[in-house]
Amino acid sequence: MTSPISRDRAPADLLFTFAVIADSHVNPGDDHSSSPWASNRLANERSRRAVAELNRLSPDFVVHLGDLVHPVPALETFTTAATSFQEIYSGLACPLYLVPGNHDVGDKPGEWLPAKSVTEPFLEKYRSIFGRDYYSFDHGGCHFVVINAQLLNSGLVAEQQQRTWLEDDLQRSREQRTFAFTHYPAFITSPTEIGHYDNIDEPARSWLLDRFAEFRVEGAFGGHVHNFFYNRHRDSDHYVAPSVAFVRHDYSEFSRIAPEEGHEYGRNDTAKLGFFLVEVYPDRHVTRVVRDYLRHDDAQASAGGSDGRSLLVAAEQPSAVGVDARQLWTEETQIPYSGVVDEFARKTVRNDYPLMAMWEMGINRLRVPVQDLLDDRIRGRMEELAHSGHQFQVFTYGVPGNEAVSLLTECRWFVSSLEVILPPSQLTTRFTEISRISRTTGLPVHLSAVRTSANDEHGGDDYAHHVRHGFTLDDQAVLQELIATAGFGDAVSGLAFTVARSESPVHSLAAIDELVAGLGLRATVLVKLAADHPGSSEHDDRTTASRVAETLVAAHELHSLEINLDTFGDMDRGYFPRNGLVDRRSNLRSAGLVAKHLTAALPKRTGRASSLAQHRSDDLTWIDFGDGVVVIPEKTCSWDAVRSAVGTAVEPGTRVVDLVTGSAGTVEGAQGLCGGPVLVLRVSA
């Protein structure tokens, strides 16, 4: 599905889409909330924005995972808030299915919980206003099950009634693809984690997971946590949805950095608000994160005639670039007991916000060290993500040992290549070992050379520590000699290159593509976002976003290269400090937004490379490629300057996309100022 979302450009095998939203916490009125946090008073307006965005995306239906309202059933304002919810969500242009949350029927059982637990009177109040609290429905040949998670372990009569109903319902529909919806997720990191505020307690947890496994539930969606998580358990995908209203800021512990000004200690981190759009195909489903719905009505579209719809990466065309995962991309941490929800134990949780950002940008390839494969926990996570389409390029210094080779062989279904980095003195002496590894694992092996400051020539008093790897275009004579060495062809499938910050990505990548094509090889390439000197910082978002735009266009056109951006996340301390695609809170920077919007807006790769031509005039650079032009202003400029620079490519109706804001329109209507990279798509594209 190319973007903006459009039914006429949807993949031919797309069956239907549905949306999943959670935790709207609607207040009795727009100017009042029983919560002490100012951001909670914005909940009603944020729901209106979500409804508007859902209508633009046009799913077949929407499932709301509960906490429809903020006042709990024991408060007098509950009924008024329920009326406000119904008024706001009556604006949806498609059917809405409701799941009861703990704010709607009472908390799960527990004397230590901060609100009263579920009771029969609370259930009756909910049913009288919203209808059934557990039920199922069918759509497009699939079965959808709504479960009242608060009943589990309650001992109420309704608990056993729901259990009996669920067993019978799943049995009757066992030949259908099934999706399940609860408010509390079964778990958020591990099915064996301790019971806490954010999961379903035992013994009901195991009972429910056993039912999901027995009846092959394809996807299970939970809310309540106001943060994003993804797990795979016994062939089922388990998702925890973000909130459309506010963030549960106890999870701000993920970020080793203070919340930004105005974020209410993380509660009002609006970049973490959003919902899911789920695409259902004959053989799979794809869950996408939509988290820019608050921006569209605020930002002035720089492209005239903007339709304001979210730019979402197409399922059949993920990003043409991967990322180098220098930081731990699957970090586990412990959330302190808070005095508000959990007070008697720390929660061990995994930070899935890097994954959420990758999904949003369409990035499915990570370059990781071999130590990730050797770590049982991380390797298990790699295997889980492989079911969602992720691939991993593994690199190692030196020839890997027996344990690593065994794991590479076992995991070759999700390892795309092996990069072996050697000192120059060993480049031609290890081919026999490398050839054996290539035959054993069945993986393509890419060869790389290491360079350190110890081997550099230094003049005067200048000396800077560094360890670099990857061939450069200056190594062509060395490479010619290398591939002529006996045994090279049996051992090596490709070469690994590095493009320094001081080099133009388009020029260097095109030259590398031509070089390796002439040698009959493929190549992996690291495009550096860091400065060439370890003490220099690169924190200019504009220049980094421009570099990412250049790299993505080149990757779209050059098909013998696997290109990775180095790195994914900010390095704001230590050596080579620089901005990445995401900040330390895993929120998309300008570079990340450019990566997302450009991947979403580019036409499908054809497999046929077209010519790349880079031009410059005054303060504008533009890259001409087969389907259009990417314009990169060095500073804020007028749209007249953009139109003038790409005049030969502009026809009436030419589509333009502001790659930072995501707004799209026609080049004739573009007004105001242009502050970042812009895509100009030819009419024929």
Side-chain angles (χ1 to χ4, degrees):
M1 185 161 55
T2 51
S3 295
I5 292 297
S6 164
R7 289 294 186 189
D8 60 336
R9 299 186 68 184
D13 62 341
L14 176 64
L15 299 177
F16 61 91
T17 64
F18 66 92
V20 180
I21 67 173
D23 297 280
S24 53
H25 286 261
V26 168
N27 295 307
D30 291 356
D31 58 350
H32 171 74
S33 174
S34 58
S35 167
W37 289 283
S39 55
N40 279 59
R41 293 196 291 273
L42 304 173
N44 293 19
E45 177 57 24
R46 287 176 175 176
S47 271
R48 292 188 185 96
R49 299 282 191 93
V51 167
E53 188 71 359
L54 287 163
N55 286 340
R56 281 189 283 262
L57 293 170
S58 300
D60 289 64
F61 61 89
V62 176
V63 179
H64 192 306
L65 295 176
D67 280 5
L68 316 176
V69 300
H70 190 68
V72 294
L75 295 180
E76 294 179 359
T77 52
F78 178 85
T79 302
T80 307
T83 300
S84 295
F85 175 90
Q86 291 169 327
E87 290 174 350
I88 293 170
Y89 282 86
S90 66
L92 270 177
C94 64
L96 173 65
Y97 297 93
L98 304 180
V99 181
N102 60 303
H103 275 250
D104 308 319
V105 298
D107 278 8
K108 67 179 182 178
E111 294 180 350
W112 56 272
L113 291 165
K116 290 184 178 180
S117 296
V118 60
T119 64
E120 290 289 355
F122 291 167
L123 287 172
E124 286 305 315
K125 180 181 287 190
Y126 177 88
R127 292 166 183 162
S128 69
I129 299 172
F130 295 111
R132 298 168 295 173
D133 56 306
Y134 59 87
Y135 56 96
S136 63
F137 62 95
D138 292 334
H139 183 91
C142 297
H143 191 62
F144 300 87
V145 181
V146 170
I147 299 166
N148 183 345
Q150 290 71 240
L151 282 177
L152 299 176
N153 298 316
S154 70
L156 296 174
V157 172
E159 178 187 5
Q160 187 55 52
Q161 291 173 338
Q162 178 179 236
R163 283 183 180 236
T164 301
W165 166 83
L166 182 60
E167 297 263 11
D168 292 343
D169 183 85
L170 292 174
Q171 180 64 49
R172 286 193 303 271
S173 60
R174 70 180 309 142
E175 299 305 318
Q176 294 177 271
R177 295 169 64 185
T178 299
F179 297 85
F181 307 93
T182 61
H183 181 64
Y184 290 107
F187 62 96
I188 60 173
T189 299
S190 167
T192 60
E193 68 193 16
I194 63 170
H196 51 64
Y197 184 71
D198 292 326
N199 59 21
I200 295 173
D201 293 311
E202 294 289 7
R205 182 197 306 170
S206 291
W207 173 83
L208 186 63
L209 290 174
D210 287 346
R211 301 291 77 71
F212 287 173
E214 178 184 356
F215 296 102
R216 303 193 305 277
V217 169
E218 182 174 330
F221 295 84
H224 178 70
V225 191
H226 293 231
N227 284 270
F228 168 80
F229 295 93
Y230 166 76
N231 293 283
R232 186 169 175 84
H233 178 62
R234 294 162 71 181
D235 297 329
S236 295
D237 292 310
H238 289 253
Y239 306 91
V240 180
S243 166
V244 295
F246 60 87
V247 182
R248 279 266 311 283
H249 52 307
D250 44 333
Y251 286 90
S252 294
E253 191 69 21
F254 284 143
S255 304
R256 300 296 186 263
I257 191 169
E260 289 187 318
E261 187 73 24
H263 276 194
E264 287 189 315
Y265 305 101
R267 192 176 188 85
N268 199 34
D269 185 353
T270 55
K272 291 184 170 61
L273 304 179
F275 54 84
F276 293 147
L277 184 72
V278 185
E279 300 168 359
V280 180
Y281 298 87
D283 59 343
R284 71 199 189 284
H285 70 274
V286 178
T287 297
R288 310 196 174 286
V289 178
V290 180
R291 57 169 170 172
D292 54 4
Y293 67 96
L294 290 179
R295 295 192 304 114
H296 287 313
D297 293 338
D298 286 341
Q300 290 294 321
S302 58
S306 172
D307 50 32
R309 291 177 287 182
S310 289
L311 283 163
L312 300 181
V313 176
E316 74 275 21
Q317 183 173 309
S319 178
V321 301
V323 289
D324 193 37
R326 286 187 181 268
Q327 296 107 325
L328 182 58
W329 54 276
T330 180
E331 181 182 16
E332 286 192 356
T333 190
Q334 290 192 331
I335 304 299
Y337 39 93
S338 66
V340 173
V341 285
D342 285 294
E343 174 58 3
F344 305 109
R346 302 184 195 94
K347 288 178 286 201
T348 299
V349 293
R350 182 189 56 249
N351 181 7
D352 279 352
Y353 277 111
L355 176 64
M356 179 174 169
M358 282 186 269
W359 281 9
E360 193 174 10
M361 291 183 283
I363 291 171
N364 64 3
R365 188 176 70 245
L366 276 76
R367 180 180 182 269
V368 298
V370 72
Q371 76 184 88
D372 282 8
L373 203 66
L374 294 169
D375 184 298
D376 291 345
R377 184 186 68 82
I378 299 178
R379 185 176 67 256
R381 187 61 173 163
M382 294 165 74
E383 184 171 348
E384 286 182 348
L385 295 182
H387 288 281
S388 296
H390 287 267
Q391 290 283 299
F392 298 87
Q393 287 179 243
V394 175
F395 69 90
T396 174
Y397 177 75
V399 176
N402 291 337
E403 182 184 3
V405 170
S406 177
L407 287 171
L408 285 163
T409 304
E410 177 187 332
C411 300
R412 61 188 171 196
W413 64 282
F414 60 80
V415 175
S416 60
S417 63
L418 172 65
E419 180 183 339
V420 176
I421 304 168
L422 294 171
S425 62
Q426 297 183 29
L427 286 176
T428 59
T429 62
R430 310 292 295 271
F431 287 159
T432 300
E433 298 167 79
I434 295 173
S435 179
R436 176 183 58 81
I437 290 169
S438 179
R439 291 194 305 271
T440 300
T441 63
L443 293 172
V445 176
H446 291 187
L447 191 63
S448 181
V450 67
R451 292 177 172 83
T452 74
S453 47
N455 298 314
D456 285 351
E457 293 184 8
H458 303 280
D461 296 326
D462 292 335
Y463 182 80
H465 287 75
H466 70 80
V467 179
R468 297 189 175 98
H469 52 86
F471 295 107
T472 70
L473 289 167
D474 293 334
D475 294 324
Q476 293 191 42
V478 174
L479 293 174
Q480 292 284 358
E481 181 180 347
L482 181 64
I483 65 171
T485 305
F488 177 88
D490 293 330
V492 178
S493 302
L495 301 167
F497 288 82
T498 297
V499 175
R501 177 80 182 212
S502 55
E503 299 178 72
S504 160
V506 166
H507 286 157
S508 296
L509 291 170
I512 292 169
D513 182 73
E514 182 179 1
L515 172 63
V516 297
L519 299 174
L521 298 170
R522 293 185 61 82
T524 57
V525 188
L526 272 180
V527 176
K528 297 285 190 178
L529 301 183
D532 299 345
H533 188 289
S536 299
S537 64
E538 290 288 355
H539 293 303
D540 185 331
D541 272 341
R542 182 198 295 272
T543 57
T544 300
S546 299
R547 189 168 180 80
V548 168
E550 276 197 56
T551 302
L552 269 162
V553 173
H556 187 266
E557 298 298 316
L558 305 173
H559 303 137
S560 62
L561 307 180
E562 289 188 351
I563 301 169
N564 297 309
L565 291 163
D566 178 14
T567 54
F568 174 62
D570 280 6
M571 307 287 284
D572 59 3
R573 59 205 75 188
Y575 305 108
F576 294 103
R578 73 277 203 177
N579 287 355
L581 302 180
V582 300
D583 63 20
R584 290 184 72 89
R585 302 173 189 88
S586 298
N587 295 336
L588 269 59
R589 285 196 172 274
S590 296
L593 291 168
V594 167
K596 169 191 171 182
H597 295 143
L598 187 52
T599 297
L602 282 170
K604 186 175 182 179
R605 298 175 82 190
T606 63
R608 300 185 304 274
S610 59
S611 60
L612 279 169
Q614 189 166 4
H615 310 276
R616 180 175 174 79
S617 173
D618 298 326
D619 294 323
L620 281 179
T621 297
W622 67 97
I623 304 158
D624 202 331
F625 65 104
D627 294 307
V629 180
V630 168
V631 182
I632 301 174
E634 289 188 5
K635 60 184 180 182
T636 300
C637 66
S638 70
W639 272 96
D640 285 340
V642 173
R643 280 186 285 264
S644 176
V646 299
T648 57
V650 173
E651 306 170 44
T654 295
R655 189 167 184 78
V656 293
V657 181
D658 184 316
L659 295 176
V660 176
T661 67
S663 60
T666 60
V667 71
E668 301 98 321
Q671 299 176 352
L673 298 176
C674 173
V678 172
L679 172 66
V680 181
L681 280 173
R682 292 188 172 91
V683 174
S684 58

